[in-house]
Amino acid sequence: QVQLVESGGGSVQAGGSLRLSCAASPVTYRPYCMGWFRQTPGKEREGVATFDTYGRTTYADSVKGRFTISRDNIKNTLILQMNGLKPEDTAMYYCAADGHCSFTYRPYWGQGTQVTVSS
């Protein structure tokens, strides 16, 4: 049974930083692509960043230059370093994993971690 468990969310003031982690299990589960998505009430879920097995990354325009996605292959963990946070970054953040970076093949999702940025 594949599980993705996020951690690291919280409340910060604008300009602050947070580091989100997503631990994937079992350790033998090595998906081609992992990514972070976010969602606020009443809005569609949006992609934030992706990281594929070749180390290629993509970012939403709204977070470029502020967020950094990385993957610790030893710990089988996906990281999202978020700097320069803005109130509009407030959302529930979800980790996802799939065999394709479109996340339409057979995606797995975490339970989410809340990020709140105050002005």
Side-chain angles (χ1 to χ4, degrees):
Q1 181 80 6
V2 173
Q3 283 193 323
L4 303 176
V5 180
E6 302 101 332
S7 61
S11 297
V12 296
Q13 291 191 328
S17 298
L18 283 174
R19 181 181 173 94
L20 304 183
S21 295
C22 172
S25 63
V27 294
T28 53
Y29 177 63
R30 300 291 170 143
Y32 176 84
C33 193
M34 296 185 74
W36 290 97
F37 291 75
R38 65 187 181 186
Q39 188 171 23
T40 54
K43 293 187 178 181
E44 289 190 0
R45 183 169 54 200
E46 66 169 337
V48 176
T50 67
F51 192 106
D52 74 12
T53 194
Y54 296 105
R56 295 175 297 199
T57 59
T58 66
Y59 294 93
D61 287 343
S62 58
V63 306
K64 283 180 181 177
R66 299 187 298 122
F67 292 10
T68 302
I69 190 171
S70 60
R71 190 164 167 179
D72 185 332
N73 288 322
I74 295 175
K75 296 181 179 179
N76 209 15
T77 299
L78 185 71
I79 304 293
L80 185 67
Q81 179 66 42
M82 305 186 294
N83 299 327
L85 283 162
K86 303 176 180 180
E88 51 264 43
D89 294 318
T90 295
M92 183 71 78
Y93 283 71
Y94 297 91
C95 173
D98 202 354
H100 191 277
C101 284
S102 66
F103 295 93
T104 58
Y105 176 57
R106 188 183 176 185
Y108 292 98
W109 296 90
Q111 81 288 350
T113 185
Q114 178 68 38
V115 171
T116 303
V117 185
S118 58
S119 57

